[in-house]
Amino acid sequence: MSKIIVIANQKGGVGKTTTAINLSASVAAAEFKTLLIDIDPQANSTSGIGIENQSLSVYQALIGIENVENCIINTYMPHLDILPSTIDLVGAEVEMVSMENREYLLKHALKSIVSMYDYIFIDCPPSLGLLTLNALTCADSVLIPVQCEYFALEGLGQLLNTINIVKKNLNNDLAIEGVVLTMFDTRLRLSHQVVEEVKKYFGAKVFDTIINRNIRLTEAPSHSKPVILYDATSIGAQNYISLASELIQRNEPEKK
């Protein structure tokens, strides 16, 4: 049975896209059939996984002018596909406003392919607009990246409030998958304080795996690769492999 996980935080610069790329690649490396959906008009997940100049994208699937099957691209990683984004998505929210059942467009578009995958990860824009709302409406759960820096919890109340509203009105089954701490610097006391604060706030929802600040992790997107392919021995790659393992264990203690 497939699981749809939205990676969301309306605060920018928290490692959302880095997590989307590297977590999906690490889950695929564990031989689970994985789809990464890039619903962010900036298309950083798309370029970060080596896809450029594609003619079809999530935009056509969302608006309903193309079947989603025709928009999905096989990546160079076995078990990992991507539903890419393009700059076309910038105007999608304006178009969607007047459409019927506008919050369910993505759910409707994905209906025919959901069963083909074990895990579907959705990288959202750093905002709580219609695109993010569509992702939350079709998802099983939300994974929230939180950076180990000052103001880490800023805006999280708003995100949690949105999740509760979606749960109440649009998607009764929506749950919080967990919180992943990113950009951890072992040398900084502040990083350790943020970890304590987030664990106090979210308790058992916080993943044990913490994503460290790592130069290889930062370099990988410029080479259009997940860090697991750019430098599998790096701390960043090991962190995301560990996070993927923890996520899989939470969801299926025994692999099917």
Side-chain angles (χ1 to χ4, degrees):
M1 187 175 161
S2 66
K3 181 155 197 185
I4 303 175
I5 300 173
V6 168
I7 300 171
N9 191 331
Q10 83 274 18
K11 194 173 187 297
V14 299
K16 180 180 58 64
T17 296
T18 300
T19 296
I21 293 170
N22 293 296
L23 180 56
S24 57
S26 298
V27 169
E31 299 187 355
F32 286 90
K33 187 69 176 157
T34 307
L35 175 66
L36 173 59
I37 298 176
D38 189 354
I39 202 169
D40 185 345
Q42 293 176 77
N44 290 333
S45 274
T46 303
S47 59
I49 219 144
I51 306 297
E52 284 177 11
N53 305 319
Q54 70 284 356
S55 55
L56 294 176
S57 70
V58 68
Y59 169 75
Q60 282 85 0
L62 197 60
I63 300 301
I65 55 177
E66 187 61 72
N67 288 334
V68 69
E69 293 91 336
N70 299 331
C71 304
I72 291 171
I73 297 172
N74 306 118
T75 71
Y76 42 71
M77 275 191 80
H79 309 295
L80 179 62
D81 294 343
I82 185 167
L83 179 53
S85 175
T86 61
I87 196 69
D88 292 344
L89 206 53
V90 168
E93 289 203 349
V94 178
E95 289 181 59
M96 289 159 70
V97 166
S98 59
M99 295 178 80
E100 202 177 329
N101 295 321
R102 60 189 182 186
E103 297 91 353
Y104 295 95
L105 294 174
L106 185 62
K107 184 173 185 173
H108 179 72
L110 298 179
K111 199 177 288 181
S112 61
I113 56 98
V114 167
S115 60
M116 293 162 53
Y117 296 95
D118 296 310
Y119 289 94
I120 297 174
F121 295 98
I122 307 178
D123 183 19
C124 292
S127 66
L128 295 175
L130 257 181
L131 292 172
T132 299
L133 198 56
N134 262 265
L136 292 172
T137 300
C138 78
D140 296 303
S141 62
V142 188
L143 180 68
I144 307 169
V146 175
Q147 84 284 27
C148 296
E149 291 177 1
Y150 199 57
F151 293 136
L153 296 175
E154 190 184 57
L156 273 184
Q158 192 185 354
L159 176 62
L160 294 174
N161 189 42
T162 301
I163 290 169
N164 286 331
I165 290 168
V166 171
K167 187 176 170 67
K168 189 178 175 183
N169 299 299
L170 300 166
N171 180 2
N172 294 334
D173 300 323
L174 187 64
I176 292 177
E177 184 69 34
V179 175
V180 58
L181 289 150
T182 63
M183 304 180 191
F184 182 78
D185 190 332
T186 52
R187 301 163 301 176
L188 298 180
R189 196 174 67 156
L190 176 64
S191 282
H192 294 276
Q193 287 172 338
V194 170
V195 170
E196 283 176 34
E197 204 176 334
V198 172
K199 283 185 174 177
K200 202 185 297 177
Y201 193 76
F202 287 102
K205 287 288 183 189
V206 182
F207 281 92
D208 293 331
T209 304
I210 294 175
I211 310 300
N212 291 270
R213 277 197 178 279
N214 177 246
I215 190 70
R216 293 302 200 208
L217 205 49
T218 311
E219 290 171 350
S222 65
H223 294 266
S224 303
K225 290 179 179 178
V227 71
I228 195 174
L229 294 185
Y230 177 59
D231 185 352
T233 62
S234 66
I235 289 171
Q238 294 306 310
N239 286 166
Y240 276 107
I241 289 167
S242 172
L243 180 63
S245 174
E246 198 178 337
L247 178 83
I248 291 163
Q249 208 165 9
R250 281 187 180 195
N251 284 286
E252 37 199 308
E254 292 178 24
K255 187 178 170 182
K256 13 181 183 176

